[in-house]
């Protein structure tokens, strides 16, 4: 057979093996990397990488932030305390509190005035022309104010320096009320985001409002005619409210307390206009409600003064002019059921059980406002009602099923007061004094009614935040609850915004002062002790408006840090994530805005105004909020997160170097130290470093990072929307602007830590360990370094991860996702930022998408180096040097596909791409490998594709764990199995390549004009790579594949050093595989080895029949008997001896099996068991004899067993012969198919062949004696005369052997041949002598020496009268012949 010359195709992949330089192994797809040698704190012996530890820290911090106490936990009933002088002392009162901190220093104010906007002159011009009524208000969420003057409505953007006046003057009736609401979905165009509900003396009009946000966050309002109006002539509408969730609109008149609903729809229907109204109060329980009151009424008709809607519970609350609170249950589509009515006496009855008599709850006290509390904010509290004396009543509603929380199907049935928050101390603000820093919380507020005089109760109250030394005692449990403060009397407006912002307007001499308070979220989030956990801490301040307040509105979206009560009110957690709350106050002279100051803003302000008292301020802050929060806040300020209002009323970041430097020093100097965790010291499974709790500085960094990331950490990166045409559109879940801001903040933090690391314990480097004075300090420093280093390390991952997302959305994301492989494509919409930043899975996703980006750009003609360099600059870790090599290799592949197939240029490009791929085999993902091999296969580069697969498989398992796993028997639940599975997937690609090779070869002749064709040459090259591979795991996998395909002939043709070991291994599993082994040896003419395999098969435990085993023994004997060399001759003889012995046993076993199958004595149930036992493994002779042959009375088989086992007890042998003859005789009689002597003759002939006339088991003495005895006793005169002698002679017993036995029987004179019966033996002797003589008359008895003894014997028989007369004559004839001379 002609073989191609090496190098026939330039340069042939099979001609030489490239030097591989694989890179470190990459984990399998969707498998987390193996843990590093360092351990995660608090986990037993668990190893994790640095980034995973940082992720664990961030997750723990976020989880802690989510555990912010829910409103119910610090507003509710508490145990009753003793009453002392009108105060509840020695602890908390039952459901009452008055915990306020009123700072005197502007730095500590909870709110900050931002700007004052003047009312446009055109508004005043219109106002001066008013005739009937004028109303003013705010649409704060749209940054617009409005004023209705008689029948005209005007809107303007109060934030614009020269706003455009938007007017609605197209109706003639006076306007009585205006409300901005959210419309019901599907009724109006999408552009209409709001509705103006305008009530006049004749109609309620619906006006569409669209709001577009332009550059600079400027909102542009447009009004639309909807042609929707509801006639209400005769009703004076005073209150309107709408559901933001459902768009349902409710209104009430000033003449009664009925609740109406305004219905509206897109088109008119039969008997139904586009607008209608429903009276929901003229039914049910409202008819039973008394129309009189003893509290706060003057006999006037009761009317609704306020409505509030809780969409989370589907409840509507109304407050009447008589301070009656009614609760309605909203049901779709237009149902509203009154479920609870609580009048003022009922409510004050609850109050009386919670607090002793107070002047704040008198007959003149009324409820002036109500505010719904969402189920997201509190699970039990439903409503806050504010009294005319400034007391806040927190009420809960319950149903028959318990607390009426967030379910809309269960309406509440009762309502009661749970907590009372009394007004702040009876003081008003005055300008801060110069020494305010020494006592920033001294409450310098004067009583507006009493000119600064204080009553005894106020003098008895302790100052809140006495000084920095006593700041840690703020909100002490021994501070009495002030139940008599009249600081908010008279109260005109009271509003509550979530998560507890409280705004009150108090008129004084025609000018309104505003009291603002907010929960002290920092203190509530991290109370110093168990007592503080249940206190409702608030920080408040007074603001002088200088005019009458007309309206107050929330400019920013309603605050919520979570969607459930726990964590809902955590303001510190959202400092850097969502805008802080902003409010607008409309007065008769302008609009003032003020914002909620964040904790970071308060801290920055204290640094600005602290002067030389900075240490005092820091201690105060630390005592209030803890070192961890202090570090987080100082770090945020140092990184430029602090905001303040500038002189030109702009909100800007604080960049004052002096403030930033102060914050930097505080972060460094107040960072604290790591400490041993006493709870873990006794745990022997943890290392010393795991028993350390990191420093507050570490906690602060973790807090700051987690707060920057909170909105994106668990969020999905992309959102896939289905288009109306059935396609899909990919959008970013988080806005790119938000991501850029977070990336900027992370970069600033990274730069800050890098710049200051030498001053920070744990980041200073190894030299810091030299400062440790003992082993414990060294361990603490190591633990601190490990914790801080993990957080610093994760920053770069986050920054690059965000860069990657920004790069991703700079491309055509839709096309990139389509280029991903199926596993990634299916899960890409589940990828979160956390996974991207901190796990190998996320990095795999990113690398795959980067490769898709590169491939897409290559497909569009871009240069791979240009694209790759751009990616490496922006997100280098996602586009490594190995990735660039892969991209170049793919580019070479693409060029090869464009070149002429099988040309020299194409082969050069393919070999170049192969070299590039092999150089980064360790970094080549399975998907890229699959694509590369498919491309190679299409280009008929089969050998190169196989070489690449083998290189990647080797690089993927450098430790050869797959081979060790196979060698150990493939144990389950072994981590090495993953290495094997990874390699097996790669080998499957080789199988596909070989299939393609064979398919291509089948389409063309192997030789053309006596020379190999191109396809045949490539096939030979491919199989040379396969068969010459030194990868044992691959070779075994290849042979397994051959077997599954049924290609046994291909296996027998393989000439490899691994095939015999493989066949020996698989030969242990099945007979078919073992057959392949001896057949393979036979092909090699290794007959002795083939015989050994066949012998093992015959002796094996495989499910092989006894006949098949005998066949293997026969084949083995043939192979072992074949001519062999001298070295194996002795081994062959030993082998043949063993084979012969086993053959004898197998024959006996087969004989027993066949007999027992047809033996009627065997029960059917036992027969199958016997057959199973005998038709299997070769059984030893002892078992065959004792269990089968002897019990079954197969005496002939017993004799064969004697012979095979070389048994020589002649007594047993003789007895067995006798039993056999007797048993044969009985069977012949039973069957009656032949005469008994004939059956015996057949049995003797069979045994003679089987026993080969053995001297042991076929001894002449035993056989002749037994037969003569049988013939005399059982067949006397039945058979032919002398049939025994004839039989013996037929089986090749010589007369020379028979005659001595008969002679001995004659002389022994034993039964049954004694006395006259001796004549029978004498007759047999005469017959033997006659026949012996006749065989050779010319040379009788073979030897003349026998003549004389025979003549003597015949004469003796005559002398003893043992012969009949006729027999005597015969004897004389024999004697005469013997005496005749011989020639």
């Amino acid at each position: 057979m002609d073989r191609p010359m090496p190098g026939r195709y330039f340069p042939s992949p099979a001609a030489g093996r490239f030097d591989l330089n694989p890179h470190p192994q990459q984990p399998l797809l969707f498998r987390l990397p193996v843990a590093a040698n360092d351990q995660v704190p608090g986990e037993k012996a668990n190893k994790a990488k640095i980034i995973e530890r940082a992720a664990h820290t961030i997750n723990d911090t976020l989880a802690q932030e989510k555990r912010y106490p829910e409103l119910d936990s610090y507003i509710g009933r508490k145990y009753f305390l003793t009453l002392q002088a009108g105060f509840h002392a020695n602890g908390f009162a039952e459901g009452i509190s008055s915990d306020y901190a009123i700072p005197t220093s502007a730095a500590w104010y909870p709110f900050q005035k931002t700007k004052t906007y003047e009312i446009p002159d055109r508004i005043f011009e219109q106002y001066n022309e008013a005739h009937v009524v004028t109303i003013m208000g705010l649409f704060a969420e749209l940054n617009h104010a409005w004023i209705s003057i008689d029948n005209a409505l005007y809107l303007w953007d109060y934030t614009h320096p020269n706003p455009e006046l938007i007017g609605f003057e197209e109706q003639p009736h006076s306007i009585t009320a205006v409300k901005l609401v959210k419309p019901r979905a599907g009724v109006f165009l999408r552009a209409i985001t709001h509705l103006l509900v305008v009530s006049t003396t004749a109609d309620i009009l619906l006006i569409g409002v669209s709001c577009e946000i332009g550059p600079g966050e400027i909102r542009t309002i447009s009004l639309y005619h909807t042609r929707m109006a509801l006639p209400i002539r005769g009703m004076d509408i005073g209150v309107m409210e709408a559901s933001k969730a459902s768009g349902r609109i409710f209104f009430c008149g000033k003449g009664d307390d009925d609740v109406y609903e305004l219905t509206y729809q897109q088109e008119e229907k039969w008997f139904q206009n586009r607008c209608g109204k429903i009276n929901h109060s003229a039914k049910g329980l409202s008819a039973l409600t008394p129309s009189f009151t003893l509290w706060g009424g003057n006999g006037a008709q009761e009317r609704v003064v306020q409505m509030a809607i809780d969409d989370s519970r589907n409840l509507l609350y109304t407050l009447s002019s008589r301070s009656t609170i009614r609760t309605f249950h909203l049901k779709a589509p237009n149902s509203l059921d009154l479920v609870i009515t609580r009048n003022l006496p009922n409510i004050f009855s609850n109050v009386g059980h919670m607090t002793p008599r107070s002047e704040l709850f008198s007959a003149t006290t009324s409820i002036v406002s109500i505010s719904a509390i969402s189920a997201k904010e509190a699970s039990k509290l439903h409503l806050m009602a504010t009294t005319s004396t400034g007391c806040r009543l927190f009420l809960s509603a319950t149903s028959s099923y318990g607390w009426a929380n967030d379910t809309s199907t269960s309406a509440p049935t009762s309502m009661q007061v749970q907590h009372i928050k009394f007004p702040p101390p009876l003081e008003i603000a005055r300008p801060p004094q110069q020494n305010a820093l020494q006592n920033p919380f001294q409450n310098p507020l004067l009583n507006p009614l009493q000119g600064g005089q204080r009553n005894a109760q106020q003098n008895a109250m302790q100052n809140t935040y006495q000084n920095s030394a006593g700041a840690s005692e703020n909100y002490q449990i021994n501070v009495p609850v002030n139940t008599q403060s009249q600081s908010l009397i008279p109260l005109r407006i009271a509003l509550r915004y979530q998560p507890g912002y409280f705004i009150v307007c108090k008129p004084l001499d025609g000018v309104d002062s505003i009291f603002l308070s907010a929960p002290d979220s920092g203190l509530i989030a991290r109370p110093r002790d168990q007592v503080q956990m249940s206190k409702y801490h608030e920080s408040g301040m007074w603001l002088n408006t200088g005019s009458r307040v007309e309206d107050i509105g929330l400019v920013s979206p309603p605050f919520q840090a979570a969607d459930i009560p726990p964590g809902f009110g955590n303001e510190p957690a959202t400092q850097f994530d969502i805008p802080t709350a902003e409010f607008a106050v409309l007065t008769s002279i302008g609009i003032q805005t003020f914002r909620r100051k964040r904790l970071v803003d308060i801290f920055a302000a204290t640094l600005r105004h602290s002067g030389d008292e900075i240490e005092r301020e820091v201690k105060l802050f630390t005592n209030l909020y803890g070192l961890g929060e202090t570090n987080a806040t100082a770090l945020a300020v140092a990184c430029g997160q602090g905001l303040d209002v500038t002189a030109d009323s702009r909100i800007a970041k604080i960049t004052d170097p002096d403030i930033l430097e102060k914050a930097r020093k505080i972060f460094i100097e107040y960072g604290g130290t790591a400490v041993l965790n006493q709870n873990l010291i006794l745990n022997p499974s943890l290392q010393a470093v795991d028993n350390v709790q990191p420093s507050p500085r570490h906690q602060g960094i973790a807090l700051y990072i987690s707060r920057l990331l909170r909105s994106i950490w668990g969020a999905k990166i992309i959102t896939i929307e289905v288009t109306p045409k059935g396609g899909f559109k990919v959008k970013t879940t988080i806005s790119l602007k938000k991501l850029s801001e977070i990336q900027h903040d992370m970069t600033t933090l990274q730069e800050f830590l890098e710049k200051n690391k030498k001053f920070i314990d744990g980041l200073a480097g190894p030299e810091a360990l030299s400062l440790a004075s003992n082993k414990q300090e060294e361990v603490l420093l190591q633990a601190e370094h490990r914790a801080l280093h993990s957080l610093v390390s994760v920053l770069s991952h986050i920054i690059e991860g965000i860069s990657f997302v920004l790069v991703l959305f700079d491309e055509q994301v839709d096309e990139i996702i389509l280029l991903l492989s199926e596993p990634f494509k299916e899960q890409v919409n589940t990828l979160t930022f956390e996974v991207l930043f901190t796990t190998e899975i996320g990095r795999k996703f990113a690398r795959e998408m980067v490769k898709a980006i590169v491939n897409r750009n290559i497909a569009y003609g871009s240069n791979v180096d240009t694209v790759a360099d751009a990616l490496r600059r922006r997100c280098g870790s996602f586009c490594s040097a190995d990735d660039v090599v892969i991209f170049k290799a793919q580019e070479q592949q693409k060029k090869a596909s464009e070149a002429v197939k099988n040309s020299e240029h194409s082969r050069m490009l393919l070999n170049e791409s192969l070299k590039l791929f092999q150089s980064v085999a360790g970094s080549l993902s399975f998907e890229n490998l699959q694509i590369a091999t498919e491309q190679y296969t299409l280009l008929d580069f089969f050998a190169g594709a196989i070489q690449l697969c083998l290189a990647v498989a080797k690089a993927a398992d450098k430790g050869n764990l797959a081979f060790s796993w196979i060698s150990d028997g493939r144990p389950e639940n072994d981590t090495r199995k993953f290495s094997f599975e990874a390699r097996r997937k790669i080998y499957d690609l080789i199988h596909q390549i070989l299939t393609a090779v064979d398919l291509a070869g089948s389409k063309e002749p192997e030789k053309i004009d006596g020379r190999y064709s191109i396809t045949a040459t490539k096939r030979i090259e491919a199989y040379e790579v396969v068969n010459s591979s030194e990868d044992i795991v691959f070779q075994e996998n290849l042979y397994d594949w051959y077997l599954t395909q049924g290609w046994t002939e291909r296996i027998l043709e393989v000439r490899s050093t691994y095939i015999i070991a493989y066949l020996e291994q698989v030969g242990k599993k099945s007979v078919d595989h073992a057959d392949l082994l001896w057949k393979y040896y036979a092909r090699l003419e290794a007959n002795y080895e083939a015989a050994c395999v066949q012998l093992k098969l015959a002796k094996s435990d495989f499910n092989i029949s006894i006949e098949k085993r005998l066949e293997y023994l026969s084949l083995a004997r043939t192979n072992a008997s074949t001519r062999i060399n001298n070295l194996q001759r002795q081994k062959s003889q030993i082998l043949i001896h063993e084979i012969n012995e086993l053959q004898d046993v197998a024959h006996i076993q087969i004989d027993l099996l066949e007999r027992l199958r047809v033996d009627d004595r065997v029960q059917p149930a036992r027969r199958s068991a016997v057959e199973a036992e005998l038709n299997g493994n070769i059984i030893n002779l002892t078992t065959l004899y004792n269990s089968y042959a002897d019990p079954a009375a197969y005496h002939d088989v017993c004799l064969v067993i004697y012979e095979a086992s070389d048994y020589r007890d002649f007594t047993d042998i003789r007895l067995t012969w006798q039993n056999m003859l007797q048993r044969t005789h009985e069977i012949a009689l039973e069957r009656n198919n032949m005469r008994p002597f004939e059956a015996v003759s057949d049995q003797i002939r069979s045994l003679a062949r089987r026993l080969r006339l053995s001297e042991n088991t076929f001894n002449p003495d035993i056989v002749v004696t037994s037969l003569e005895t049988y013939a005399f006793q059982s067949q006397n005169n039945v058979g032919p005369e002398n049939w025994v002698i004839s039989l013996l002679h037929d089986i090749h017993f010589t007369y020379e052997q028979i005659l001595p036995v008969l002679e001995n029987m004659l002389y022994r004179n034993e039964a049954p041949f004694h006395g006259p019966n001796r004549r029978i033996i004498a007759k047999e002797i005469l017959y033997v002598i006659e026949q012996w003589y006749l065989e050779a008359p010319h040379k009788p008895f073979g030897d003349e020496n026998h003549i004389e003894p025979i003549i003597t014997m015949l004469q003796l028989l005559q002398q003893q009268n043992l012969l009949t007369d006729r027999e005597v004559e015969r004897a004389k004839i024999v004697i005469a012949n013997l005496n005749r001379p011989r020639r």
Side-chain angles (χ1 to χ4, degrees), residues 60-105:
D60 283 350
T61 306
L62 289 173
Q64 181 185 6
E65 298 272 65
K66 290 179 181 178
R67 291 193 291 268
Y68 180 90
E70 60 179 295
L71 188 63
D72 301 307
S73 65
Y74 54 87
I75 296 183
R77 291 180 178 269
K78 305 176 181 68
Y79 58 88
F80 210 87
L81 302 177
T82 58
L83 177 65
Q84 295 181 358
F87 294 87
H88 288 284
N90 301 326
F92 299 115
E94 182 188 17
I96 64 174
S97 64
S98 62
D99 301 299
Y100 294 91
I102 311 296
T104 60
S105 170

Side-chain angles (χ1 to χ4, degrees), residues 110-114 580-583 593-598 601 643-645 651:
F111 296 91
Q112 182 178 31
K113 184 177 178 180
T114 54
T580 185
E582 184 177 351
F583 302 91
T593 59
F594 53 95
R595 59 184 287 269
R596 171 74 163 119
K597 288 175 66 176
R598 306 171 300 167
D601 303 331
L643 297 177
D644 201 0
V645 178
I651 300 175

Side-chain angles (χ1 to χ4, degrees), residues 881-899:
D882 287 355
D883 293 332
V884 175
V885 174
I886 293 172
F887 298 149
K888 290 181 178 179
Q890 291 171 338
E891 187 177 35
Q892 297 293 82
Q893 263 193 332
K894 185 174 184 295
K895 290 180 179 179
S897 66
E898 296 170 350

Side-chain angles (χ1 to χ4, degrees), residues 181-185 187-188 192-195 243-247 264:
V181 303
K182 285 281 189 179
R184 190 168 66 246
V187 177
F188 304 99
I192 297 179
T193 57
H194 297 77
L195 281 180
S243 167
K244 294 181 180 179
S246 63
Y264 56 99

Side-chain angles (χ1 to χ4, degrees), residues 1285-1322:
I1285 301 303
S1286 300
L1287 173 64
L1288 293 174
H1289 190 262
D1290 288 344
I1291 63 175
H1292 304 296
F1293 269 15
T1294 65
Y1295 295 123
E1296 187 178 4
Q1297 291 174 304
I1298 299 171
L1299 186 58
V1301 177
L1302 293 175
E1303 185 179 7
N1304 287 336
M1305 291 176 65
L1306 180 69
Y1307 293 149
R1308 284 200 298 266
N1309 195 26
E1310 296 177 352
F1313 302 105
H1314 57 83
N1317 294 338
R1318 295 175 68 201
R1319 291 179 178 179
I1320 297 173
I1321 299 302

Side-chain angles (χ1 to χ4, degrees), residues 1303 1306-1307 1318 1350-1363 1375:
E1303 185 179 7
L1306 180 69
Y1307 293 149
R1318 295 175 68 201
I1350 290 175
I1351 293 174
T1352 303
M1353 182 182 295
L1354 289 175
Q1355 292 173 347
L1356 181 62
L1357 293 178
Q1358 296 177 39
Q1359 292 173 3
Q1360 293 182 0
N1361 296 321
L1362 296 177
L1363 300 175
I1375 293 172

Side-chain angles (χ1 to χ4, degrees), residues 482-513:
N482 185 355
T483 62
Q484 306 298 331
S485 174
Q486 299 182 11
S487 60
L488 298 182
I489 299 176
L491 185 149
R492 191 170 66 85
I493 299 175
L495 300 171
R496 180 190 186 274
Y497 298 99
Q498 57 191 36
Y501 304 134
F502 183 51
I503 305 176
V504 173
C505 285
K506 175 181 176 178
L508 180 63
D509 299 332
V511 176
D512 284 340
S513 294

